[in-house]
Amino acid sequence: MNPEKLLEVKRLRTHFKTETGRVTAVDDVSFHVNKGEILGIVGESGCGKSVTSQSILRLFDEKYLVKYEGEIIFKNEIDLLKLSKAQMRQARGNEISMIFQDPLSSLNPVLTIGFQIAEAIMLHENTSKEEAMAQAVEMLRLTGIPSPEKRVHDYPHQLSGGMRQRVMIAMSLACKPRLLIADEPTTALDVTIQSQILDLIEDINKRFDMGVIFITHDLGVVAELCDRVVVMYLGQIVEEADIYNLFENPKHPYTKGLIQSIPHMDGDREEELHVIAGTVPSLENVPVGCRFAPRCQFADEQCNSQAPELRGIGDGQKVRCWHAEQIAERKEEVYATS
Ligand SMILES: Nc1ncnc2c1ncn2[C@@H]1O[C@H](COP(=O)(O)OP(=O)(O)O)[C@@H](O)[C@H]1O
Ligand SMILES: [Mg+2]
């Protein structure tokens, strides 16, 4: 039986106004998340991961939006792109929740965390304030906050970064969402705390059979958490694979480069980190052919002049590269240390 699709993004394109004209931050992006699955979106900074997730809930700055097109089908029935502003507000934090890198920006500094979680509960359930407060304590307990009955009276600034992220997760769970979108939620945290938050997300994913889109620039995090992954580069998907194939049979040179850039915790500390030479070009200067060609050691005439399509190569894996098969065979390291 095919897994049930929870969210399906089809040919999403998001265009913004800039000082010099117009850029397409997300360019023809299609992917899906199955019910109860953790999908990773990975890529270097500036690849369009955040704009992709913001597009799902229409959370970008509309002042700069020029156009936003495609389809975003939730639970096989509604197209989120067609919702009115009021309907979108209802969907946000109801069936779909989002958490960000910086919980402080989403928490109100002058209200206790218990009150804020209780408010989120009361927004979606017809409960008394006392009942909502009691539920808030339970939510905090669920996210592993010690002495939650005392913590509900704390203000955001009284908590550490890791605890604040737990509060955000508790708050996002208050409405029992079917889909949680997490945009680099652990990037600002140290590794021990990061690992605890990843465990927590995995735990609630299993416990509530909740789909998760987890956005990160860190493939190490992806390896720990995700079932399936899409790799983004300059506004497009360049590879899609399940977690096994991503690491065992990566097909795109960019994916290979990202894998080689993962620091080896257990390895030789002196070992140099492999980094992909060069940087992500600006959206104002999108290469004519393959967008990755200027940084790719395998690029030839075809790559420099013709843009490859994302194509299926079996086993649910997809790649956007003219020479994926030949390159994948090569065992030697793709990139030299720079
Ligand atoms: N509101 C906006 N107006 C114009 N350009 C934007 C806006 N938001 C994001 N961008 C551009 O879109 C690109 C992708 O950004 P983003 O999705 O934040 O990348 P990532 O999350 O992968 O680091 C960047 O080049 C960024 O400058
Ligand atoms: Mg981002």
Side-chain angles (χ1 to χ4, degrees):
M1 204 182 75
N2 279 336
E4 204 179 317
K5 283 188 183 132
L6 179 64
L7 182 86
E8 189 168 18
V9 174
K10 294 185 193 171
R11 317 211 70 146
L12 176 69
R13 303 181 84 213
T14 306
H15 316 271
F16 291 119
K17 266 194 289 275
T18 64
E19 278 167 35
T20 48
R22 164 181 164 159
V23 295
T24 303
V26 172
D27 197 352
D28 199 9
V29 162
S30 303
F31 65 89
H32 70 275
V33 193
N34 292 322
K35 202 164 163 265
E37 174 185 56
I38 306 185
L39 176 82
I41 301 183
V42 70
E44 290 161 290
S45 175
C47 284
K49 306 181 298 294
S50 292
V51 175
T52 299
S53 66
Q54 289 160 2
S55 298
I56 296 171
L57 286 178
R58 223 179 289 169
L59 282 174
F60 37 58
D61 192 345
E62 293 206 30
K63 201 167 69 196
Y64 299 105
L65 182 74
V66 177
K67 202 160 132 196
Y68 155 67
E69 51 192 337
E71 285 174 77
I72 304 178
I73 312 293
F74 186 55
K75 295 203 298 192
N76 278 319
E77 49 187 32
I78 37 171
D79 185 351
L80 298 180
L81 228 98
K82 295 207 172 81
L83 296 186
S84 68
K85 278 191 177 165
Q87 287 169 321
M88 183 47 102
R89 260 198 306 276
Q90 181 67 25
R92 266 184 227 146
N94 191 356
E95 295 217 82
I96 307 177
S97 273
M98 186 150 176
I99 55 174
F100 305 92
Q101 181 172 332
D102 176 17
L104 264 192
S105 64
S106 320
L107 289 166
N108 188 328
V110 300
L111 300 174
T112 64
I113 57 165
F115 184 82
Q116 294 184 61
I117 299 171
E119 254 197 336
I121 294 169
M122 286 191 293
L123 207 62
H124 299 282
E125 274 176 50
N126 195 8
T127 51
S128 67
K129 206 174 154 196
E130 290 69 33
E131 171 56 23
M133 271 308 244
Q135 276 193 40
V137 172
E138 286 320 303
M139 292 288 174
L140 288 176
R141 195 187 314 282
L142 188 82
T143 60
I145 292 192
S147 321
E149 58 292 331
K150 293 205 191 80
R151 287 300 187 182
V152 281
H153 304 297
D154 283 356
Y155 291 88
H157 71 268
Q158 293 173 284
L159 300 172
S160 66
M163 285 299 159
R164 282 199 286 264
Q165 203 50 279
R166 286 176 196 271
V167 169
M168 279 316 296
I169 293 171
M171 209 146 123
S172 68
L173 290 180
C175 51
K176 307 186 178 65
R178 299 317 305 147
L179 176 66
L180 174 71
I181 303 175
D183 189 355
E184 310 243 13
T186 61
T187 301
L189 306 174
D190 73 50
V191 279
T192 326
I193 310 294
Q194 163 166 313
S195 169
Q196 291 170 5
I197 297 289
L198 296 183
D199 286 347
L200 172 62
I201 290 177
E202 200 166 8
D203 178 53
I204 56 177
N205 154 261
K206 296 251 156 32
R207 205 191 290 225
F208 302 112
D209 196 30
M210 184 179 66
V212 179
I213 298 179
F214 194 97
I215 294 169
T216 177
H217 64 276
D218 183 348
L219 262 187
V221 168
V222 165
E224 234 181 280
L225 189 70
C226 299
D227 300 309
R228 219 155 43 78
V229 185
V230 296
V231 182
M232 286 191 72
Y233 188 76
L234 198 54
Q236 297 185 323
I237 292 178
V238 296
E239 182 151 10
E240 175 184 331
D242 63 35
I243 194 72
Y244 176 84
N245 280 321
L246 188 87
F247 287 99
E248 292 302 318
N249 305 307
K251 292 286 197 283
H252 199 285
Y254 182 58
T255 312
K256 290 187 154 219
L258 288 179
I259 292 172
Q260 283 170 21
S261 314
I262 303 175
H264 294 280
M265 294 294 230
D266 47 351
D268 181 1
R269 273 166 201 280
E270 299 301 305
E271 190 184 5
E272 264 181 284
L273 200 65
H274 291 262
V275 286
I276 305 168
T279 51
V280 185
S282 105
L283 287 170
E284 269 122 8
N285 283 305
V286 173
V288 202
C290 170
R291 294 184 178 196
F292 186 60
R295 297 173 74 188
C296 182
Q297 66 175 80
F298 304 107
D300 61 12
E301 202 27 59
Q302 182 183 27
C303 306
N304 289 323
S305 57
Q306 297 170 39
E309 296 282 323
L310 188 68
R311 60 192 165 97
I313 49 167
D315 215 7
Q317 196 165 0
K318 292 180 187 157
V319 65
R320 190 189 289 277
C321 169
W322 291 117
H323 308 304
E325 285 80 0
Q326 298 89 303
I327 295 166
E329 294 305 312
R330 301 177 69 140
K331 293 279 181 261
E332 82 271 27
E333 304 241 297
V334 178
Y335 294 97
T337 41
S338 56

